Amino acid sequence: MSQHAPSSEIESRDPATGRPRPPRREFKARGSFVERCAGCNLPTLNCLCPYRVEAESTARVWLLTHPLEHHKPTNTGRLIRDVLGSTEVFTWYRTAPDERLLALLADARYAPFVIFPDDQPDYAHRVVGREAVAAVKAAARIPVYVILDGTWRQARRIFRKSPYLEALPVLPLRTERLTRYRLRKPASEAHLCTAEVAAELLRQGGDGDAAEILDDYFQVFNDSYAASRGFEKLEAPTPAMTRLLARRGIEA
């Protein structure tokens, strides 16, 4: 694509892959005219870029993202890709599955698990526990957490309307953790946002360092964005900010 491509051409391409996508109505979020950092997409008042720290993990994360989520600055899926460079992001369309995703699902190197609650009997035979992740590691395969990135209603639709997910084992996230997400009101405090889900999965799977970095990065995002909504500048670094700066060798 030309560096000076028309905006209409850019908007007609998938944000995750750059490929043409089905037409849809333009999404306009509240606050869409706020001055934002080009690097992190947060309001420049509290930029996230100084706190970005990359990590490595044994497990991979693949995000199957509802198309509207790409345009929401409050989406936390992108935080995972900031921290874990191996993260894959695919946009979900009901009638147009991503060919790259299909190819990766068929790749024997990977052992994908779709992350979803085990609250319905019709797929109970597919539900597995943490021991299944340990087993694929022992078999020298790479465990992959396929996270459905959207609202709970959107995630359920993705789960139910994607035939290529039907052969995957379902791994429920079992945790006592309650959400700390401040930017959207969840139906329940037990409903974690996408970044929180990934951090908890990494922690439970033995990728503790990556989990801590992602958790701190999410908390900085959470605090920074919430403060920016009230036009408040965070003058003093939070504990999460201090820890991330220390990982970068910077004294807070």
Side-chain angles (χ1 to χ4, degrees):
M1 185 186 301
S2 168
Q3 186 177 1
H4 302 288
S7 60
S8 59
E9 180 180 346
I10 295 173
E11 292 172 358
S12 68
R13 294 183 175 273
D14 185 278
T17 66
R19 295 197 295 270
R21 65 184 179 184
R24 60 167 182 79
R25 292 184 300 172
E26 181 182 3
F27 176 83
K28 292 185 178 180
R30 184 180 65 175
S32 59
F33 299 105
V34 172
E35 183 181 354
R36 298 183 181 277
C37 169
C40 66
N41 203 34
L42 255 69
T44 53
L45 183 65
N46 292 295
C47 176
L48 191 63
C49 295
Y51 309 103
R52 179 174 175 178
V53 176
E54 296 184 1
E56 295 183 357
S57 63
T58 303
R60 302 287 180 87
V61 176
W62 296 349
L63 298 175
L64 189 51
T65 302
H66 191 279
L68 291 182
E69 282 296 314
H70 289 299
H71 300 272
K72 294 179 181 178
T74 54
N75 173 266
T76 66
R78 59 196 172 91
L79 303 178
I80 305 169
R81 185 162 58 174
D82 281 351
V83 171
L84 299 176
S86 61
T87 300
E88 297 279 1
V89 181
F90 307 97
T91 304
W92 181 79
Y93 298 111
R94 186 179 63 81
T95 59
D98 190 294
E99 294 297 330
R100 175 167 162 73
L101 172 59
L102 298 182
L104 286 173
L105 289 174
D107 191 325
R109 294 175 298 168
Y110 302 111
F113 300 86
V114 61
I115 309 304
F116 203 72
D118 58 341
D119 57 356
Q120 296 297 323
D122 62 310
Y123 56 87
H125 61 288
R126 296 167 54 195
V127 174
V128 298
R130 299 298 319 179
E131 67 281 356
V133 178
V136 300
K137 286 184 179 181
R141 298 179 69 200
I142 302 171
V144 178
Y145 304 129
V146 180
I147 301 178
L148 311 182
D149 185 21
T151 65
W152 275 98
R153 182 176 180 180
Q154 289 166 348
R156 290 188 179 277
R157 178 171 172 79
I158 293 171
F159 183 79
R160 292 292 186 181
K161 300 293 185 179
S162 305
Y164 47 90
L165 298 180
E166 292 176 357
L168 300 185
V170 175
L171 179 65
L173 175 59
R174 305 192 189 284
T175 178
E176 297 299 317
R177 173 174 176 166
L178 300 178
T179 186
R180 303 195 309 270
Y181 190 42
R182 301 164 59 188
L183 307 181
R184 300 187 202 173
K185 183 175 178 58
S188 164
E189 289 188 349
H191 288 181
L192 306 183
C193 71
T194 301
E196 290 176 304
V197 168
E200 194 65 19
L201 288 167
L202 292 167
R203 181 177 293 110
Q204 293 182 10
D207 288 306
D209 194 57
E212 288 181 9
I213 292 172
L214 178 56
D215 221 6
D216 278 344
Y217 191 58
F218 159 72
Q219 191 59 58
V220 173
F221 167 82
N222 200 27
D223 293 339
S224 298
Y225 206 120
S228 296
R229 279 183 165 178
F231 304 100
E232 174 191 354
K233 171 67 176 176
L234 293 178
E235 301 293 347
T238 66
M241 289 175 179
T242 301
R243 288 191 292 269
L244 290 174
L245 289 174
R247 287 181 181 272
R248 299 187 61 172
I250 301 173
E251 185 176 345

